[in-house]
Amino acid sequence: MVRPVIAGNWKMNKTVAEAVDFAVRLRTAYSTPPDRRVIIAPPFTALLAVADAIRGSFILLAAQNLHEAEKGAYTGEISGEMLREAGCSCVIIGHSERRTLFAESDDRINRKLRAALTVGLAPIFCVGESLRQREDGETEAVIELQLKEGLNNLTASDIGKILIAYEPVWAIGTGKTASPGQAEEVHRFIREWIARRYGPESGAELAILYGGSVTPKNIAELMAQPDINGALVGGASLDVDSFIQLVGY
Ligand code: PGA
């Protein structure tokens, strides 16, 4: 049984003060660890302060992106080592907003995944199809290509450290959630694909998160699906009371 994961992706939201206030309130709400992995992904500027606020708690810190190089002349970029130092244990890679708005290719995403693993960050690797691709019946082909290229050259041991998030692009920030059945179908496809390629154990132990308009109202029915092990939540993770409800779904 994969331990459920609830991850909040704040995107470009929250000042340092707002982020710390959230973290302190979340920490206070759960004095004993819930039987699930709870991850928050603040913007870069708030990482250090949030790391301080959650030190010693069960809450894990994620970054929303990293650069694949170790260091160097990459103005505006942040390396995996810097994120580790700031207190991160996870990093979101391949989010559809990065793929579309910042032209991140599967190859680039693969290099980012490898960079994260090299410094001991657990990647939350995002995949998902657009509305047109779904309507054209290409969902599985698109997901398979993203998996194949994104995970290129990774070993079964690497796969053991990765979380995969299935986020249909048409469901992100639109209020349109995939139905539990639609999501489960793709999650099962991902798990079987991983099991075929990396062995049954890798498939069975993989945490696959669903993302796209998850709210406290719909999380329970999504999490009831056998292959949905968690949620990657944007909008509904910004309000601490809503996030506490998501964690306690
Ligand atoms: P949303 O975003 O919950 O606001 O749809 C999810 C995500 O982009 O990770």
Side-chain angles (χ1 to χ4, degrees), residues 25-247:
R25 288 175 63 192
L26 177 62
R27 179 182 185 153
T28 318
Y30 291 98
S31 46
T32 52
D35 63 348
R36 42 202 65 164
R37 271 190 279 178
V38 178
I39 304 173
I40 47 178
F44 288 135
T45 47
L47 287 176
L48 267 175
V50 170
D52 263 349
I54 61 175
R55 182 155 300 123
S57 78
F58 62 91
I59 305 161
L60 300 171
L61 190 64
Q64 299 173 17
N65 183 30
L66 87 170
H67 191 276
E68 65 271 27
E70 238 175 86
K71 59 168 121 173
Y74 301 101
T75 302
E77 294 293 323
I78 305 235
S79 76
E81 193 57 50
M82 293 168 182
L83 297 177
R84 286 291 298 173
E85 190 191 29
C88 293
S89 51
C90 315
V91 57
I92 299 171
I93 296 178
H95 190 280
S96 68
E97 285 151 18
R98 302 277 338 158
R99 290 177 187 266
T100 34
L101 303 175
F102 302 96
E104 282 191 15
S105 64
D106 288 319
D107 174 59
R108 183 96 197 268
I109 288 163
N110 174 250
R111 283 182 275 139
K112 291 187 176 210
L113 282 168
R114 285 190 278 153
L117 289 165
T118 304
V119 297
L121 287 167
I124 303 174
F125 169 41
C126 304
V127 296
E129 83 287 3
S130 68
L131 184 58
R132 189 198 55 74
Q133 290 165 331
R134 173 162 283 264
E135 284 172 352
D136 290 351
E138 293 169 2
T139 300
E140 291 190 355
V142 168
I143 304 288
E144 179 166 19
L145 190 67
Q146 290 174 342
L147 290 173
K148 206 165 139 214
E149 308 266 300
L151 301 176
N152 190 25
N153 278 327
L154 299 192
T155 62
S157 144
D158 293 329
I159 299 299
K161 297 173 189 126
I162 290 179
L163 298 88
I164 294 184
Y166 167 56
E167 299 206 310
V169 178
W170 48 272
I172 296 177
T174 57
K176 275 189 216 154
T177 329
S179 70
Q182 278 174 326
E184 168 60 18
E185 217 174 283
V186 181
H187 280 234
R188 191 180 330 113
F189 174 78
I190 294 172
R191 193 178 306 287
E192 286 172 355
W193 191 89
I194 292 287
R196 270 199 309 280
R197 199 165 170 115
Y198 299 95
E201 221 172 277
S202 296
E205 288 169 4
L206 177 69
I208 312 176
L209 283 57
Y210 169 78
S213 299
V214 177
T215 65
K217 275 210 173 83
N218 61 24
I219 188 166
E221 54 174 1
L222 288 160
M223 292 299 292
Q225 301 300 312
D227 290 296
I228 300 185
N229 311 110
L232 179 56
V233 189
S237 77
L238 290 173
D239 174 74
V240 72
D241 294 321
S242 161
F243 191 66
I244 289 168
Q245 283 180 53
L246 288 162
V247 172

